[in-house]
Structure formats: structure tokens, C-alpha cells
Amino acid sequence: MPVAEDLTAPVRERTLNPLTDGIGPSARAHEHRLLSAARPALPFLNWIGMFAKPLLKVPGLGWITADPLTARSVLNDPEHFTLLSEGGVGHLWAQILGDWVYDLFDGPGHYELRTKSRELFTEKSSFEFVERAWGSRIEDARRAFDAGEPIDLADLSRILVGQMVVTLLGMPAEDTDDAYREIFRTGEELAATALGTTADTVLPPEKIAKAREIVEKLTGHIDAAFETAPGTTIIGRCRDLGLSLQETKGLSTLLMVAGTETAASAMARTAALLYDTGQQHALIADPKLMENAVREALRVTSPAPIIGRSVLADLTIGKHTLTAGERIVVLTWTANNLAGEYRVDRDYIPQNRQLWFGAGRHLCLGGPLARAELTKIIELLVGDGRPFRVVSRRYGKRVLIPAYESLVVQKAV
Ligand code: HEM
């Protein structure tokens, strides 16, 4: 039996320790183990992050913050912080994709790209993408699940995300689970290039060569498809929105890297949270809480647990002076979990906004898509009004984005 929260108690607002007091005893223990399995340093970073309000300097790592307001002010301040210099994700990608990334990822080209791609993922188009990409596959899974068959939700999430990539990018691929698993794995491999770069973003030549090979495998088809891709794919929409071929390939790479592991991680962890906290019962009792259930799952799982930037120009925050060239890591997981345990009756938290999607000019482009995907997964789990249980689970080891390797769920009898 999961250790259930007292569902009748009002949401408590108090200072919480995310490692010992945050998200319900069972849920907390599993999340903690999941983070440790992915990256052994993460729980330590999260723990020390509790003292990083507003900021703390950690030797060998740089500045860290777990304060939502400081985090947002950092992410909203391109005058003083960048992701392009050493320490930021842009610096990683420039080594792989080429110097044009500097313009497209954070320079004037980025502003133009974001302006043009603003309409790429709206609430409406995202739900349509989910229907089109997952339609029959998720219906099959739902029929089997409702009939009492166990499903490995972590595996299914990877298949569905692979299928989403194929649909969005119009990639040539076989319509089989194995083909979609392989696409997911390739995206994961690309993202793994960034593993071990929390403190240093200079890549060795062999990593660069490997990553270039993968990018070509994933986006090579765009050269030929660009002119004729239908407007229902991201390639066609990018072209129709006025993006160049290079911008479209760059954005597609970004989508692969930013929107695959994060989304799959959120899906299985949401299922685990709903079960471990007992909150699935509250949701079944009041399905109107779906939007909260999704938002809370994103907050508590915060699949991108850290966001790195480097300091461009000296500035003072509180009593701390940050110097150009130093690094800063925003601890999104800690900042979001300090706000409290997973509750489907919790309202939007104005202070945190949607820090799990970042903030400012790099705010996640795929937020509406991630929400639509999670909604569909929760519908699969409890849409028939009956609870489910977690039969077994295995945490992913040494992965960039903390995630379940396997999470087998089944309808409770
Ligand atoms: C639960 C799922 C997701 C989470 C937690 C998440 C989180 C984030 C975060 C924190 C950032 C900001 C990174 C930074 O500032 O350095 C980001 C950026 C981005 N995300 Fe997501 N993401 C998710 C899903 C998706 C999906 C499904 C897509 C699209 C298919 C996507 C596309 C992007 C893109 C393109 C960016 C870069 C935006 C830019 O630099 O302007 N993400 N995401």
C-alpha cells in the first residue's frame, strides 16, 4: 500500500525541506532515489540548495540559487547572464552545430526565431499533435490497461515520445514500437553529450564527432523535405512561418534534445506520484482537477532539475557580487519542491509561476505540448474512474534527465 497523504487536510503552507518533508513520505523516497540513480550529485546539490536563498557559492561549481524570484531574475536578465559562454547549453551546442548557434540560440537570431515560432505550440495545436501522433497507440494501451493488463509506463512513454518526434519532424520511420524506441534512444544519446558538463561545457573532439553524427541522423532528412513538407509537420510550419532551412534544422535539434527525455520523465513520474501520494483518489473524485494535477506533476518532478548560465557582466544580488565569467546554476527542482507536496487541490503558485519550464527568453517552447502529453497520460491512468497501482519500478542510472527505466502499473483490483 502506498503511504497516502491525508486528503481531507487543507494544503499546508509552511517551510518544507524537499528531501525530508516535501512530497509525501513514499513519493519523497522514490523521487530521492530516482535523482540519485540519475546523477549521484543531484540530491546533494538539492540539499545544499536549501541554503541557496537567494544565492550560495559552491567551490568548483559556482553560484547556485533555489529561490524562485532570484531564479527568474537571472533567467530574465540577458544583460548579465548568457547560455552561450562556457557553462551554458548554447556553448555546448555551438561546438556541435557550428558558430551560427550563437546567433540563433541567444543572439538577435534567437529573438527572431522565438517570434516566428511563437505559434508553433498553442494549447489547441498541442492537443491536435497528441491526437495525431498517439491516437491509435494510446487507445490500444488504454484498452489493455482498462482490461487489467500491466503496462510499463516508462517504456510506453519512450515509445510515445519517439512517435511524437516522428510526427513533428515528419521523419521517415517504420510504424513500430521498436522503431520509436530507437528514435528516443538516439535523442537520449544526443542529450547524453551534455552529461558531466554541470561544471564544464568544453567537449572533447570525439564527443563532438559523435554528436554531429547523431544530429545528421535525426535532421538529415530535412534538407530534402523542407520545400514540400506539409503544414501539419513542424518542418512545414517552420517554413510557412518564414524560418530558413538552417533555422528549421537548428530548432528541430533543439526540440529533440529539449522535448524528449523531459517529457518521458514527466509521464512515468506523474504516474508514480499519483499513486505514491494517493492523490489519484482525489483526482478520480473530482476530474475537474486535471489541470492542477498536470501543473503539480510538472512542479514536483521538475524534469529539468537544473538550468545553467554564465555571468556576462558583474552584478550584485543581495549581499553577493557575481563576477563576469563565473557560473550560476538555477536549482529548479529544489525551488519548485520547497513550495510543498504534490496536491491536486493546490492552486497555481504565483511565486513559482512555471519555473519547471524555465523563464525569460528561453522559456520552454514546448510547454503546451508537454501539458497536452501529460493530460493524455493521466487520462489513460484514471480516465475510467478506477485507481491503479504501481507493480514494480526501476530507476534510470546515469541519465541526464532523472527518469524511471521501468514503471509497471496495473489497474487496482
Ligand atoms: C515536461 C517536459 C519539459 C520540461 C520540464 C521542459 C523544460 C524546459 C526548460 C527548463 C527550458 C529552458 C532551458 C534554459 O533556459 O536553458 C526548456 C527550453 C526548451 N524546451 Fe522544454 N521542456 C519540456 C518539454 C518540451 C517539449 C515537449 C518541447 C518540444 C517538443 C520542448 C522544447 C523546448 C525548446 C525548443 C526549448 C528552448 C527554448 C529556447 O532556448 O528559446 N520542451 N524546456
Side-chain angles (χ1 to χ4, degrees):
M1 277 290 288
V3 182
E5 303 285 300
D6 175 4
L7 299 177
T8 56
V11 174
R12 283 165 298 156
E13 293 303 343
R14 59 191 168 91
T15 307
L16 290 157
N17 173 340
L19 298 181
T20 60
D21 199 15
I23 50 178
S26 170
R28 176 197 326 136
H30 287 302
E31 276 284 301
H32 179 74
R33 286 183 215 137
L34 183 106
L35 295 179
S36 311
R39 291 196 254 174
L42 265 183
F44 170 71
L45 207 53
N46 287 326
W47 172 76
I48 201 164
M50 288 186 304
F51 308 101
K53 293 182 86 179
L55 279 175
L56 187 73
K57 197 166 183 182
V58 180
L61 187 61
W63 294 98
I64 59 172
T65 178
D67 172 43
L69 297 182
T70 308
R72 261 211 314 285
S73 74
V74 167
L75 298 174
N76 270 309
D77 180 359
E79 302 288 308
H80 293 98
F81 300 97
T82 177
L83 52 63
L84 293 185
S85 5
E86 197 173 316
V89 69
H91 176 244
L92 272 176
W93 291 109
Q95 295 165 80
I96 296 164
L97 300 175
D99 283 352
W100 55 269
V101 160
Y102 287 120
D103 181 49
L104 198 65
F105 275 34
D106 214 20
H110 177 261
Y111 175 77
E112 210 183 306
L113 177 74
R114 289 296 304 237
T115 308
K116 286 181 191 163
S117 57
R118 207 168 31 212
E119 296 299 311
L120 222 44
F121 296 110
T122 60
E123 298 295 324
K124 184 168 176 285
S125 72
S126 298
F127 275 95
E128 285 166 4
F129 275 129
V130 169
E131 280 310 318
R132 185 144 26 96
W134 294 1
S136 64
R137 183 64 184 82
I138 203 151
E139 278 317 311
D140 290 347
R142 187 165 173 173
R143 260 192 302 277
F145 187 57
D146 286 351
E149 277 181 38
I151 55 171
D152 184 339
L153 199 67
D155 180 50
L156 180 64
S157 302
R158 293 190 286 265
I159 294 169
L160 293 173
V161 167
Q163 204 164 4
M164 180 60 77
V165 169
V166 166
T167 306
L168 291 180
L169 303 190
M171 272 170 89
E174 245 183 85
D175 183 20
T176 62
D177 285 359
D178 275 346
Y180 297 132
R181 282 190 189 101
E182 172 61 17
I183 284 166
F184 183 88
R185 203 197 50 72
T186 311
E188 202 174 28
E189 206 181 333
L190 182 59
T193 317
L195 252 184
T197 54
T198 308
D200 180 8
T201 51
V202 181
L203 295 172
E206 62 280 7
K207 269 200 172 183
I208 295 177
K210 178 78 196 152
R212 284 186 182 155
E213 214 177 279
I214 302 172
V215 168
E216 187 50 33
K217 194 166 149 188
L218 293 171
T219 63
H221 70 283
I222 297 175
D223 290 307
F226 188 66
E227 292 301 332
T228 52
T232 48
T233 64
I234 288 291
I235 308 303
R237 289 178 76 131
C238 284
R239 181 204 53 228
D240 296 347
L241 290 166
L243 269 71
S244 67
L245 174 62
Q246 189 179 56
E247 286 172 326
T248 303
K249 286 180 86 170
L251 186 65
S252 302
T253 310
L254 256 182
L255 294 184
M256 278 294 301
V257 174
T260 52
E261 278 183 275
T262 44
S265 161
M267 291 178 205
R269 285 164 79 187
T270 298
L273 269 182
L274 280 167
Y275 171 72
D276 293 333
T277 58
Q279 286 284 292
Q280 60 168 327
H281 302 288
L283 182 59
I284 289 170
D286 187 358
K288 289 197 299 300
L289 294 175
M290 175 64 94
E291 199 181 318
N292 283 8
V294 169
R295 188 184 56 246
E296 276 288 285
L298 286 164
R299 178 180 69 79
V300 172
T301 60
S302 290
I306 56 176
I307 301 178
R309 292 288 187 269
S310 43
V311 182
L312 259 184
D314 296 2
L315 88 160
T316 301
I317 299 180
K319 56 182 178 18
H320 305 289
T321 301
L322 285 66
T323 315
E326 288 184 320
R327 298 204 60 219
I328 179 159
V329 178
V330 172
L331 302 176
T332 46
W333 191 92
T334 312
N336 290 326
N337 275 281
L338 284 168
E341 67 268 43
Y342 180 79
R343 298 280 309 219
V344 294
D345 60 356
R346 187 186 296 284
D347 288 333
Y348 172 79
I349 305 169
Q351 180 158 315
N352 287 65
R353 297 201 194 165
Q354 10 173 20
L355 196 53
W356 45 91
F357 285 140
R361 58 162 76 181
H362 294 287
L363 177 75
C364 179
L365 183 68
L369 184 64
R371 282 194 294 271
E373 290 176 326
L374 273 187
T375 305
K376 196 76 181 169
I377 292 293
I378 299 180
E379 278 169 7
L380 161 77
L381 292 166
V382 293
D384 70 346
R386 291 187 299 144
F388 67 94
R389 66 194 178 101
V390 172
V391 178
S392 67
R393 63 180 105 202
R394 215 170 46 243
Y395 314 107
K397 290 205 184 91
R398 300 290 302 164
V399 282
L400 179 66
I401 299 295
Y404 281 103
E405 170 60 31
S406 162
L407 185 89
V408 179
V409 293
Q410 191 171 27
K411 277 288 166 190
V413 275

